[in-house]
Amino acid sequence: NAGVTQTPKFQVLKTGQSMTLQCAQDMNHNSMYWYRQDPGMGLRLIYYSASEGTTDKGEVPNGYNVSRLNKREFSLRLESAAPSQTSVYFCASSEGLTSGIVYEQYFGPGTRLTVT
Amino acid sequence: LAKTTQPISMDSYEGQEVNITCSHNNIATNDYITWYQQFPSQGPRFIIQGYKTKVTNEVASLFIPADRKSSTLSLPRVSLSDTAVYYCLVGINTGGFKTIFGAGTRLFVKA
């Protein structure tokens, strides 16, 4: 039982390049999330998927796209990377979403992305 | 949106009890309060969650007054390994899901 896995662990991109961050969970969770964390800051929600087949914008979606490939996998794509997207990206999953309740979220180890 | 306010940092010594308070004046009726812990270079880890009064588990207690406008995370007898950032999170899911982690409280435990 690996929990939440993310690939790659580190990545350096040049401005304008594209890439996809991969995330998978093996806990049969319905909901998955992508966050970014800038140095010394809290996490900010980029996109989330409440259930397979649905995706919604979070707090900072601009410059990103997501795909909920199946129940297990949720990918984050940067179409044209910018230096402002230099950050640590965390994927998380939870059993589900219910009004007012934040179910326990399980986080992956993160992807450290640098855009030069 | 129910924004949270926490102290930026706190210092403590090993063996002491640490209380971290979070203010959430605009908490909605259905919102729960959740606390996470984050070590450097790791993703956050769930500590405890509650709705009202007191909740206790094997690692912490959560105190929530009747008006629910604040909450206090209590860590009994901290050790060096409790040095981390602690986030107070208020569940929001009305017409869309928003997670407000905030900057958290950096707890530094000294020997």
Side-chain angles (χ1 to χ4, degrees):
Chain A
N1 189 337
V4 179
T5 57
Q6 294 182 234
T7 55
K9 287 187 168 53
F10 301 92
Q11 184 71 49
V12 178
L13 291 178
K14 294 187 188 304
T15 297
Q17 287 185 319
S18 62
M19 78 161 296
T20 300
L21 281 63
Q22 306 287 354
C23 174
Q25 52 91 9
D26 62 3
M27 295 171 283
N28 200 35
H29 284 167
N30 290 308
S31 303
M32 297 185 73
Y33 316 82
W34 275 105
Y35 294 89
R36 62 176 286 175
Q37 185 172 35
D38 299 330
M41 306 285 287
L43 282 77
R44 291 184 292 172
L45 183 65
I46 304 172
Y47 270 93
Y48 69 99
S49 171
S51 60
E52 186 179 355
T54 68
T55 60
D56 284 287
K57 295 178 181 179
E59 188 183 358
V60 288
N62 291 343
Y64 305 95
N65 285 303
V66 292
S67 295
R68 183 73 183 268
L69 304 171
N70 48 55
K71 192 172 185 179
R72 290 187 63 247
E73 299 172 287
F74 188 38
S75 64
L76 178 72
R77 182 161 178 84
L78 286 71
E79 291 292 350
S80 179
S84 60
Q85 294 179 303
T86 293
S87 190
V88 179
Y89 291 84
F90 289 102
C91 177
S93 70
S94 69
E95 286 187 26
L97 292 176
T98 300
S99 179
I101 299 177
V102 179
Y103 285 101
E104 179 176 352
Q105 294 184 36
Y106 295 80
F107 285 80
T111 294
R112 281 148 187 78
L113 175 67
T114 301
V115 183
T116 61
Chain B
L1 299 178
K3 185 176 178 180
T4 59
T5 303
Q6 305 173 232
I8 294 174
S9 64
M10 295 180 68
D11 288 344
S12 182
Y13 288 94
E14 280 190 296
Q16 288 188 332
E17 178 184 74
V18 171
N19 295 311
I20 305 174
T21 297
C22 178
S23 297
H24 27 80
N25 291 320
N26 297 326
I27 189 169
T29 302
N30 293 334
D31 286 348
Y32 279 64
I33 300 151
T34 311
W35 286 80
Y36 282 80
Q37 174 191 56
Q38 185 178 27
F39 297 114
S41 302
Q42 293 186 24
R45 184 174 70 112
F46 173 92
I47 301 176
I48 197 166
Q49 183 180 84
Y51 183 80
K52 61 180 180 180
T53 62
K54 177 183 175 182
V55 179
T56 297
N57 61 22
E58 63 276 8
V59 298
S61 294
L62 179 60
F63 299 91
I64 305 169
D67 66 6
R68 303 199 330 118
K69 293 183 184 299
S70 66
S71 59
T72 299
L73 174 71
S74 182
L75 304 172
R77 297 180 297 282
V78 294
S79 63
L80 296 177
S81 63
D82 292 315
T83 294
V85 178
Y86 293 83
Y87 296 98
C88 168
L89 180 65
V90 176
I92 300 165
N93 187 22
T94 53
F97 180 74
K98 306 291 182 194
T99 302
I100 310 296
F101 265 83
T105 298
R106 294 184 177 276
L107 173 65
F108 185 68
V109 180
K110 295 178 274 191

